[in-house]
Amino acid sequence: MPNILEVENLSKTFPRFSLQKISFSLAPGYIMGFIGPNGAGKSTTLKLIMHLLHKDSGQIKIFGLDPQHYERQIKDRIGFVYDENHFYEELTLKAMARIMASCYSHWEPQTFTSYLEQFSLPPKEKIKKLSWGMQMKFSLALALSHQAELLILDEPTSGLDPIIRHELIEILSALREDEKKAVLFSTHITTDLEQIADYITFIHDGQLVFSRAKDDILERYALVKGDPGLLTRENQSLFTGWNQTRYGFTGLVPDRAQARLLLGNRVLFEKATLDDIMLYTVRGKAHV
Amino acid sequence: MFSLLLKDVLILKKQFLLVLLFILFANYFMVFSTSGIVFIPGLTVVLTYALVVQSCLLDDKANSELILLSLPLLRRDIVRTKYFSLFFYALSSILSTLIFQLIKALLSHPTAFSLTWGIFLTSIFAASLMGSVYYPFYFRLGYVKSRIISTVVFFTLFFGSSFVAGLLNHHSQSPVIQALGKAVQWLHDLSTLGSTTLTLLFILLFTGSSYLLSRRFYQRREF
């Protein structure tokens, strides 16, 4: 089945930041986690995909179409949640939904109502009276109510309580079962991704670190703990980053098998989490 | 376009009520002039400007462009609707004034006057001129930056007319002014059909050029 989203060599330069040749693709039926520290370029990438920013070079294809020429058709099939709410505060949820509904060709009022009930959102309440978490839930309800085939979520879980976060993860998992849909999910809370993501795309400082299957990443990367004396110049090249004290070191290796071959049983190997991978990649060779 | 117009109407509900109250007040007390030819176009421009700016302010306050541009809408739809709503506000203002004047006429109020075709066209022309000046700044610079420039331009247009009139009177013997006077006389002598066609052509020219400029600016904006 063709990819729902293809990003190839995407570049964009600002006076103080540049996104450099980002490439990844997302097939239907999968959830991709999009991770990176603040200022890495996640929101810029998502804005380029949504055509809110103009790319300098590279290619974006959504549903196999060029967004510059088929913007309306493409956006009719995309559901989005941004990291901040940009709704009109004086409007009620019902009025805001009415505006949005009139834009989509496949709006489902029953689905929207059921999400409002599920998230305990009162339709006649003004948006300004909702808490931040409730506004985010409202945003999610809107994104999920028009048969979107691609969901683009920019930090949707920050500010949500654990119960709603769990509900969201369940909803996204259910969406994945419909093999025509895909989710691009940018977040800082990588534990959410460890539960549901199939692929992880990691960017740092405007550059792609990797875009691979999550299981493959978690299988290959490892945390290594050992005596500081083992961190010889030769061995250092095995590590993406490490943290060293006078009693020992903890480092991240991107190839567990190769590290095991060279370091053997002199060190302890532990499973690396996405948080570890992000932390050690960003901090690099930090010493204490 | 319907969705965006609906959005403007919904977010401006309170402002529409305020405008209605203002029209009622202005019509009752005739605060501007006793002549319809000045009163209605003046009121139309002021109220249309107020609604246009309020709509842009509320869009800016919510930073709603991120949402609007993520919906299945094109940038040109957004620009087009802003121009369309300009005429919608102007027509609403004229219609409300007309209703109040009709009520006054029914009550045999001494200051009641009827809306002529000429007054109607002048009102629409004045409102479209105001919008045609405002929108390119808005779409190029956004609400905050455009506010200062547009306020200056608006007040220059609004109050500058009396200054220009004074200047014309003072230099009434100059050949340029006399030529202008002849042109005005020619316009005045035109038949209703002629003046209507000419006014509509001017509206089309100003609004059309302004729309194309705004569209060009907005296509390049980044959010």
Side-chain angles (χ1 to χ4, degrees), chain B residues 126-200:
Chain B
S128 70
L129 188 65
M130 179 278 299
S132 302
V133 173
Y134 176 75
Y135 278 137
F137 287 112
Y138 171 71
F139 283 111
R140 174 75 179 83
L141 304 167
Y143 174 76
V144 176
K145 286 182 188 168
S146 69
R147 192 175 52 180
I148 302 163
I149 298 169
S150 64
T151 307
V152 171
V153 171
F154 175 70
F155 282 106
T156 308
L157 280 178
F158 198 71
F159 295 110
S161 52
S162 56
F163 172 74
V164 172
L167 207 67
L168 292 177
N169 278 335
H170 191 257
H171 299 282
S172 57
Q173 299 308 312
S174 114
V176 178
I177 304 298
Q178 285 193 342
L180 267 175
K182 278 181 189 166
V184 170
Q185 189 57 45
W186 177 76
L187 285 172
H188 191 259
D189 293 343
L190 278 177
S191 63
T192 309
L193 182 67
S195 58
T196 302
T197 312
L198 203 65
T199 312
L200 289 177

Side-chain angles (χ1 to χ4, degrees), chain B:
Chain B
M1 199 162 78
F2 166 76
S3 328
L4 291 167
L5 193 62
L6 172 73
K7 181 267 293 178
D8 276 349
V9 170
L10 287 174
I11 64 172
L12 288 174
K13 259 195 296 193
K14 269 187 194 168
Q15 284 78 0
F16 274 123
L17 281 176
L18 284 174
V19 160
L20 264 182
L21 280 175
F22 185 77
I23 292 174
L24 177 66
F25 179 81
N27 276 277
Y28 187 78
F29 291 106
M30 294 292 291
V31 286
F32 296 117
S33 163
T34 51
S35 158
I37 190 70
V38 177
F39 176 72
I40 297 183
L43 192 65
T44 306
V45 171
V46 169
L47 297 180
T48 306
Y49 179 72
L51 289 170
V52 161
V53 170
Q54 273 298 308
S55 154
C56 295
L57 167 70
L58 292 172
D59 282 344
D60 180 76
K61 198 176 158 195
N63 198 7
S64 62
E65 272 150 331
L66 279 180
I67 295 281
L68 298 178
L69 291 171
S70 301
L71 292 169
L73 298 167
L74 300 177
R75 290 183 185 220
R76 66 166 179 258
D77 296 334
I78 293 172
V79 177
R80 197 186 301 151
T81 310
K82 284 286 183 201
Y83 279 84
F84 188 80
S85 55
L86 169 83
F87 289 102
F88 176 73
Y89 303 147
L91 285 172
S92 307
S93 166
I94 296 169
L95 189 68
S96 309
T97 302
L98 179 66
I99 291 169
F100 285 126
Q101 287 300 326
L102 280 175
I103 295 169
K104 278 169 81 174
L106 285 174
L107 297 172
S108 306
H109 196 280
T111 60
F113 53 79
S114 56
L115 178 74
T116 62
W117 180 242
I119 293 174
F120 173 78
L121 271 183
T122 310
S123 305
I124 294 291
F125 176 71
S128 70
L129 188 65
M130 179 278 299
S132 302
V133 173
Y134 176 75
Y135 278 137
F137 287 112
Y138 171 71
F139 283 111
R140 174 75 179 83
L141 304 167
Y143 174 76
V144 176
K145 286 182 188 168
S146 69
R147 192 175 52 180
I148 302 163
I149 298 169
S150 64
T151 307
V152 171
V153 171
F154 175 70
F155 282 106
T156 308
L157 280 178
F158 198 71
F159 295 110
S161 52
S162 56
F163 172 74
V164 172
L167 207 67
L168 292 177
N169 278 335
H170 191 257
H171 299 282
S172 57
Q173 299 308 312
S174 114
V176 178
I177 304 298
Q178 285 193 342
L180 267 175
K182 278 181 189 166
V184 170
Q185 189 57 45
W186 177 76
L187 285 172
H188 191 259
D189 293 343
L190 278 177
S191 63
T192 309
L193 182 67
S195 58
T196 302
T197 312
L198 203 65
T199 312
L200 289 177
L201 271 174
F202 271 120
I203 292 174
L204 201 67
L205 184 75
F206 280 127
T207 322
S209 319
S210 168
Y211 164 72
L212 290 175
L213 198 62
S214 296
R215 207 174 107 169
R216 195 179 165 86
F217 287 149
Y218 202 54
Q219 288 289 356
R220 291 181 187 169
R221 281 270 301 278
E222 295 194 313
F223 298 93

Side-chain angles (χ1 to χ4, degrees), chain A residues 17-285:
Chain A
F17 171 77
S18 65
L19 195 72
Q20 296 159 45
K21 296 193 170 182
I22 301 293
S23 299
F24 61 89
S25 58
L26 176 60
Y30 293 101
I31 296 175
M32 176 179 278
F34 195 40
I35 62 170
N38 284 334
K42 300 190 298 294
S43 291
T44 301
T45 308
L46 297 184
K47 282 182 174 182
L48 285 163
I49 292 170
M50 292 304 287
H51 204 212
L52 296 167
L53 292 172
H54 304 298
K55 64 183 192 261
D56 291 341
S57 60
Q59 201 178 37
I60 300 168
K61 280 201 169 179
I62 309 172
F63 310 116
L65 301 168
D66 182 347
Q68 282 185 318
H69 298 113
Y70 296 93
E71 192 169 0
R72 200 197 302 264
Q73 293 89 328
I74 287 171
K75 286 181 177 172
D76 198 27
R77 297 161 71 185
I78 294 181
F80 58 88
V81 176
Y82 292 129
D83 55 348
E84 282 178 44
N85 288 300
H86 304 285
F87 301 122
Y88 299 96
E89 289 185 335
E90 287 294 327
L91 294 185
T92 61
L93 306 192
K94 197 176 165 186
M96 189 70 221
R98 197 174 153 204
I99 295 169
M100 306 263 295
S102 64
C103 296
Y104 290 109
S105 55
H106 300 290
W107 180 262
E108 294 175 323
Q110 303 91 332
T111 310
F112 177 67
T113 309
S114 73
Y115 278 121
L116 287 190
E117 283 168 9
Q118 186 179 342
F119 294 150
S120 309
L121 293 168
K124 289 182 182 169
E125 192 71 276
K126 282 189 175 179
I127 292 171
K128 69 176 179 187
K129 294 206 171 162
L130 300 182
S131 68
W132 199 83
M134 285 173 92
Q135 287 188 24
M136 198 52 93
K137 286 192 271 179
F138 174 56
S139 197
L140 271 170
L142 290 169
L144 296 167
S145 299
H146 61 94
Q147 293 184 15
E149 290 161 64
L150 172 62
L151 273 181
I152 294 182
L153 312 175
D154 190 3
E155 303 283 354
T157 48
S158 50
L160 296 185
D161 61 61
I163 297 161
I164 295 298
R165 267 173 52 204
H166 186 72
E167 275 180 34
L168 170 69
I169 285 164
E170 280 179 349
I171 290 165
L172 295 182
S173 299
L175 277 178
R176 178 173 38 193
E177 284 168 21
D178 179 348
E179 292 182 351
K180 288 180 188 163
K181 296 182 178 179
V183 180
L184 180 62
F185 185 164
S186 148
T187 184
H188 283 102
I189 308 170
T190 51
T191 46
D192 291 341
L193 294 179
E194 280 175 13
Q195 288 181 61
I196 54 159
D198 301 297
Y199 289 91
I200 301 290
T201 295
F202 176 18
I203 63 169
H204 172 47
D205 205 14
Q207 294 181 40
L208 184 74
V209 179
F210 57 69
S211 182
R212 282 151 65 180
K214 181 193 73 185
D215 292 342
D216 179 42
I217 294 162
L218 296 179
E219 206 169 284
R220 288 173 71 99
Y221 275 85
L223 276 184
V224 176
K225 291 180 176 175
D227 190 89
L230 289 168
L231 268 180
T232 60
R233 191 175 292 273
E234 191 183 76
N235 286 342
Q236 281 179 7
S237 62
L238 293 170
F239 292 87
T240 304
W242 67 83
N243 187 21
Q244 186 180 345
T245 67
R246 80 177 101 143
Y247 306 109
F249 78 91
T250 305
L252 180 80
V253 290
D255 189 338
R256 179 198 295 255
Q258 192 195 7
R260 195 178 283 281
L261 201 69
L262 287 166
L263 299 171
N265 292 328
R266 293 176 293 166
V267 292
L268 186 68
F269 286 89
E270 283 180 6
K271 197 176 169 185
T273 62
L274 289 173
D275 254 354
D276 296 326
I277 294 169
M278 200 158 78
L279 178 73
Y280 281 96
T281 306
V282 171
R283 287 175 66 183
K285 295 160 180 64

